[in-house]
Amino acid sequence: MGFDTYVDAADRTVVQYRKRMGDLGRFLFSRNELVVTPGKDGPNGRPDALAFEGTVGGARRVLASQGLGWHASIATYASIRSGHHAEAGMWGMYAAEAYELDPDPSIAEERIERLLAPQRTRTPEHDLRELGAVLAAQWLDTSQAVLLFDSLVYDEVPPTTSSVIFEAARSARNNDREPLPVSRAVETFVLFFRDAPLAAWPALMAVLLEHLPEDLPVRYVLTEGIDEFGLNDSAAAIRFVDSWWEETGEFLAGYAHKLGSIFGALAAFESKLAPQYWLGQASAALGHLDQLNADRKTSTHKERGDALERLVEVLINTESPELAVVTKNFRVPEEEIDLILRNDLPSPFWTAQNSPFVLVECKNWAKPIGVEPLRVLESKMEDRKSMARIGIFISAAGYTKPFGERLKAVQGRGVGIVFAITLDDLRGLIHRRERLSAWLAGPGAIRAFQTG
């Protein structure tokens, strides 16, 4: 990968990325973070250095804006997590220690199981937090080799699983972390790198960045390009970076498109793949939404609203093609509809509603929703009741008592059925890996009937 660390004049460790890491630095910076250091001839002469310069916090935000941040990494890891070799390795390590303490097999095996049992049940997020803590501790200590990063090289096959797993367990213990979660995460990432390195790299980078100080400097050095491409002035250097930025963006987009094409073929071959993929994406979208809602001063109203709409859209994608998003933010002069869904659900419950389309309203407000937004949805359904007799209202903060009272009136007027859903409802769906339509036809319908 071509990473290294060094200590600058302020005695602070700096994360640096060398040119030989190829296109991967593109994931971590915005274009305006380029710094061109003038040479002896000044700004119009040959530059001395060329680098993108930012911070760990900035790199986290850039990754997250591309859908590749910490929460996406957890979702991806949860869907591909392995660990058979890691557990076998840890059994052997604990066995050697246990039999040395007491050769009685029953006592030794009881000790081994006591150590392994709680580590087996750790969540995917716990695994990545343990791994991230180890990586960060090693990265900030320039005397230590960094697990995975020092052995993974761009365009090269990762080292053998067994040797890396042993090193992971040793590193975990040296840093007072649980060895099985760390070695299990390392095993998974090694296999991930073998299958899709350009997808694995940002996921692993997000794990490291999540555990480093937010203001730690981050640099991606392109200085070697000055000599290689004969950059004789700052203008030429900027043209070189613009060209690199465009080409790497096209390459990464092409790579993502190929992965999407492959995934599409697999999803057509095995119908269970697509829902599981989108449930993983929903977990990432929920994590991003929770992060924005945790401190509303650091995000805008639009960002929070878009994040909730994105979560709902991803959950709907688990239903495709039977339930699909037709359009988002549908606008006419007098109103806007957040999401319009096409309803081809085949079960008798859904066909009985006689609603080819479903209207969805999303409100990520800090306080429970009152009557007025419900009146607006009611009006939209009334205007389209020959085509849309199902409405879904989603409120992150829940609903007021007057909302519930008004909902009773709506359900009894023949406009159609309106489901009132909270963010906790969506959280439960993701946790149970349950489809939205199945929940609406069961518990959701019971709730709607109780208000009708």
Side-chain angles (χ1 to χ4, degrees):
M1 289 297 160
F3 315 120
D4 64 10
T5 63
Y6 66 91
V7 178
D8 65 11
D11 196 33
R12 297 185 53 183
T13 305
V14 178
V15 183
Q16 181 161 295
Y17 308 89
R18 297 292 185 187
K19 182 176 177 292
R20 70 184 180 92
M21 67 183 277
D23 304 311
L24 303 177
R26 181 72 155 73
F27 286 116
L28 302 177
F29 299 90
S30 60
R31 175 63 184 82
N32 61 9
E33 290 179 305
L34 176 68
V35 175
V36 181
T37 305
K40 62 181 180 180
D41 297 326
N44 296 322
R46 184 179 182 278
D48 273 350
L50 198 59
F52 285 93
E53 297 185 2
T55 63
V56 164
R60 285 183 201 159
R61 288 186 285 275
V62 173
L63 275 175
S65 71
Q66 301 171 92
L68 299 169
W70 166 247
H71 298 293
S73 297
I74 295 172
T76 301
Y77 174 76
S79 67
I80 63 173
R81 182 167 66 162
S82 54
H84 301 297
H85 294 291
E87 183 162 341
M90 288 311 306
W91 178 272
M93 182 181 293
Y94 283 142
E97 297 169 355
Y99 280 102
E100 185 175 340
L101 289 171
D102 195 320
D104 185 317
S106 62
I107 294 176
E109 290 182 13
E110 181 182 346
R111 176 181 173 80
I112 296 166
E113 187 61 24
R114 189 167 64 250
L115 291 168
L116 276 178
Q119 298 182 60
R120 287 195 191 103
T121 61
R122 301 305 189 200
T123 64
E125 181 174 356
H126 180 88
D127 285 6
L128 294 189
R129 288 202 179 279
E130 292 291 283
L131 173 61
V134 172
L135 293 176
Q138 293 176 331
W139 200 290
L140 294 170
D141 180 355
T142 56
S143 68
Q144 293 190 60
V146 183
L147 189 64
L148 282 178
F149 282 92
D150 283 358
S151 55
L152 290 169
V153 178
Y154 185 61
D155 272 351
E156 292 186 15
V157 177
T160 58
T161 301
S162 57
S163 63
V164 177
I165 287 174
F166 178 80
E167 179 61 24
R170 186 187 68 80
S171 297
R173 291 181 125 185
N174 288 345
N175 288 277
D176 297 321
R177 295 289 168 175
E178 291 184 325
L180 179 54
V182 173
S183 55
R184 182 166 52 204
V186 166
E187 177 183 341
T188 301
F189 269 108
V190 167
L191 297 174
F192 193 13
F193 267 95
R194 290 179 179 179
D195 292 336
L198 287 182
W201 187 85
L204 181 61
M205 198 69 217
V207 173
L208 170 63
L209 291 172
E210 183 70 16
H211 294 82
L212 288 173
E214 184 158 317
D215 61 349
L216 188 73
V218 178
R219 302 180 71 226
Y220 178 23
V221 179
L222 293 168
T223 302
E224 293 172 31
I226 294 174
D227 291 328
E228 185 176 345
F229 295 97
L231 308 178
N232 295 318
D233 55 57
S234 295
I238 291 173
R239 287 195 298 272
F240 160 71
V241 172
D242 284 340
S243 176
W244 175 84
W245 190 265
E246 181 177 351
E247 289 173 4
T248 54
E250 290 176 355
F251 169 75
L252 294 172
Y255 178 82
H257 178 73
K258 289 177 183 177
L259 282 183
S261 298
I262 293 169
F263 174 78
L266 289 172
F269 175 73
E270 172 53 80
S271 61
K272 293 181 180 179
L273 277 176
Q276 293 305 311
Y277 169 81
W278 286 113
L279 280 168
Q281 291 297 302
S283 179
L286 176 62
H288 178 59
L289 176 63
D290 285 339
Q291 189 175 40
L292 292 177
N293 287 346
D295 185 0
R296 289 177 171 258
K297 294 179 181 178
T298 62
S299 59
T300 66
H301 178 77
K302 183 178 187 305
E303 287 172 336
R304 294 190 297 272
D306 288 348
L308 179 58
E309 289 181 20
R310 169 62 180 166
L311 172 60
V312 175
E313 180 185 8
V314 170
L315 281 172
I316 296 300
N317 286 341
T318 67
E319 312 272 352
S320 183
E322 295 172 353
L323 188 66
V325 176
V326 176
T327 186
K328 298 190 298 181
N329 301 317
F330 175 77
R331 289 183 175 87
V332 292
E334 66 276 9
E335 64 186 10
E336 176 182 333
I337 301 172
D338 291 337
L339 297 169
I340 299 178
L341 313 181
R342 187 188 69 250
N343 174 24
D344 292 325
L345 291 163
S347 75
F349 175 86
W350 292 106
T351 56
Q353 308 308 318
N354 192 28
S355 183
F357 296 93
V358 178
L359 308 186
V360 182
E361 289 291 320
C362 302
K363 300 295 182 187
N364 189 8
W365 294 0
K367 296 181 179 180
I369 297 299
V371 170
E372 189 55 36
L374 178 57
R375 291 183 184 274
V376 174
L377 176 60
E378 179 185 352
S379 173
K380 295 172 184 177
M381 292 176 64
E382 181 76 44
D383 291 344
R384 300 168 176 83
K385 65 181 179 181
S386 63
M387 300 180 67
R389 297 180 54 80
I390 299 173
I392 300 177
F393 207 113
I394 300 168
S395 168
Y399 304 92
T400 63
K401 184 177 179 180
F403 180 101
E405 293 171 349
R406 178 67 190 179
L407 190 58
K408 290 182 181 181
V410 174
Q411 309 287 43
R413 286 186 54 229
V415 176
I417 183 172
V418 176
F419 297 96
I421 304 175
T422 67
L423 183 56
D424 284 341
D425 291 329
L426 300 185
R427 194 185 309 280
L429 292 177
I430 295 168
H431 178 72
R432 296 188 302 272
R433 304 186 80 79
E434 182 180 1
R435 291 175 63 167
L436 176 62
S437 63
W439 184 85
L440 290 175
I446 293 172
R447 183 189 297 175
F449 297 154
Q450 288 173 338
T451 59

